[in-house]
mmCIF file of all heavy atoms in Angstrom:
data_model
loop_
_atom_site.group_PDB
_atom_site.id
_atom_site.type_symbol
_atom_site.label_atom_id
_atom_site.label_comp_id
_atom_site.label_asym_id
_atom_site.label_seq_id
_atom_site.Cartn_x
_atom_site.Cartn_y
_atom_site.Cartn_z
ATOM 1 N N PRO X 132 299.471 91.328 -9.928
ATOM 2 C CA PRO X 132 298.243 91.464 -9.170
ATOM 3 C C PRO X 132 298.465 91.155 -7.763
ATOM 4 O O PRO X 132 299.315 90.379 -7.396
ATOM 5 C CB PRO X 132 297.356 90.411 -9.878
ATOM 6 C CG PRO X 132 298.220 89.469 -10.411
ATOM 7 C CD PRO X 132 299.471 90.227 -10.863
ATOM 8 N N SER X 133 297.727 91.765 -6.879
ATOM 9 C CA SER X 133 297.919 91.543 -5.400
ATOM 10 C C SER X 133 297.086 90.207 -5.112
ATOM 11 O O SER X 133 297.371 89.555 -4.068
ATOM 12 C CB SER X 133 297.251 92.548 -4.617
ATOM 13 O OG SER X 133 295.810 92.750 -4.923
ATOM 14 N N ARG X 134 296.212 89.684 -5.935
ATOM 15 C CA ARG X 134 295.508 88.403 -5.835
ATOM 16 C C ARG X 134 295.094 87.951 -7.192
ATOM 17 O O ARG X 134 295.235 88.721 -8.146
ATOM 18 C CB ARG X 134 294.404 88.497 -4.885
ATOM 19 C CG ARG X 134 293.388 89.321 -5.305
ATOM 20 C CD ARG X 134 292.145 89.452 -4.290
ATOM 21 N NE ARG X 134 291.094 90.338 -4.599
ATOM 22 C CZ ARG X 134 290.099 90.129 -5.529
ATOM 23 N NH1 ARG X 134 290.202 88.937 -6.140
ATOM 24 N NH2 ARG X 134 289.304 91.028 -5.832
ATOM 25 N N ARG X 135 294.615 86.804 -7.401
ATOM 26 C CA ARG X 135 294.080 86.355 -8.750
ATOM 27 C C ARG X 135 293.245 87.401 -9.232
ATOM 28 O O ARG X 135 292.270 87.604 -8.649
ATOM 29 C CB ARG X 135 293.555 84.990 -8.715
ATOM 30 C CG ARG X 135 294.434 84.040 -8.261
ATOM 31 C CD ARG X 135 294.107 82.615 -8.707
ATOM 32 N NE ARG X 135 295.073 81.526 -8.289
ATOM 33 C CZ ARG X 135 296.008 81.091 -9.019
ATOM 34 N NH1 ARG X 135 296.231 81.489 -10.261
ATOM 35 N NH2 ARG X 135 296.871 80.225 -8.481
ATOM 36 N N PRO X 136 293.399 87.905 -10.460
ATOM 37 C CA PRO X 136 292.541 88.926 -11.069
ATOM 38 C C PRO X 136 291.182 88.369 -11.463
ATOM 39 O O PRO X 136 291.070 87.147 -11.740
ATOM 40 C CB PRO X 136 293.383 89.472 -12.225
ATOM 41 C CG PRO X 136 294.388 88.356 -12.564
ATOM 42 C CD PRO X 136 294.609 87.514 -11.291
ATOM 43 N N LEU X 137 290.273 89.205 -11.547
ATOM 44 C CA LEU X 137 288.927 88.825 -12.030
ATOM 45 C C LEU X 137 288.815 88.900 -13.599
ATOM 46 O O LEU X 137 288.120 89.643 -14.240
ATOM 47 C CB LEU X 137 287.886 89.852 -11.404
ATOM 48 C CG LEU X 137 287.832 89.925 -10.002
ATOM 49 C CD1 LEU X 137 286.924 91.116 -9.531
ATOM 50 C CD2 LEU X 137 287.220 88.537 -9.443
ATOM 51 N N GLY X 138 289.628 88.129 -14.144
ATOM 52 C CA GLY X 138 289.655 87.996 -15.682
ATOM 53 C C GLY X 138 290.505 89.389 -16.218
ATOM 54 O O GLY X 138 291.127 90.040 -15.522
ATOM 55 N N MET X 139 290.586 89.430 -17.597
ATOM 56 C CA MET X 139 291.365 90.360 -18.241
ATOM 57 C C MET X 139 290.868 91.758 -18.020
ATOM 58 O O MET X 139 291.673 92.699 -18.122
ATOM 59 C CB MET X 139 291.507 89.994 -19.726
ATOM 60 C CG MET X 139 292.417 88.688 -20.050
ATOM 61 S SD MET X 139 292.635 88.476 -21.715
ATOM 62 C CE MET X 139 294.130 89.427 -21.814
ATOM 63 N N LEU X 140 289.718 91.977 -17.685
ATOM 64 C CA LEU X 140 289.001 93.320 -17.521
ATOM 65 C C LEU X 140 289.571 93.957 -16.297
ATOM 66 O O LEU X 140 289.577 95.172 -16.164
ATOM 67 C CB LEU X 140 287.523 93.233 -17.375
ATOM 68 C CG LEU X 140 286.739 93.044 -18.712
ATOM 69 C CD1 LEU X 140 285.259 93.102 -18.467
ATOM 70 C CD2 LEU X 140 287.070 94.230 -19.812
ATOM 71 N N SER X 141 290.044 93.182 -15.393
ATOM 72 C CA SER X 141 290.632 93.762 -14.146
ATOM 73 C C SER X 141 292.187 94.308 -14.371
ATOM 74 O O SER X 141 292.710 94.920 -13.464
ATOM 75 C CB SER X 141 290.592 92.784 -13.026
ATOM 76 O OG SER X 141 291.403 91.673 -13.228
ATOM 77 N N MET X 142 292.730 93.870 -15.556
ATOM 78 C CA MET X 142 294.047 94.454 -15.837
ATOM 79 C C MET X 142 293.888 95.977 -16.225
ATOM 80 O O MET X 142 292.826 96.396 -16.684
ATOM 81 C CB MET X 142 294.602 93.780 -17.098
ATOM 82 C CG MET X 142 294.954 92.393 -16.983
ATOM 83 S SD MET X 142 295.659 91.755 -18.453
ATOM 84 C CE MET X 142 297.252 92.566 -18.609
#
Side-chain angles (χ1 to χ4, degrees):
S133 59
R134 63 181 176 79
R135 292 200 185 265
L137 301 170
M139 293 188 85
L140 283 180
S141 62
M142 290 179 69

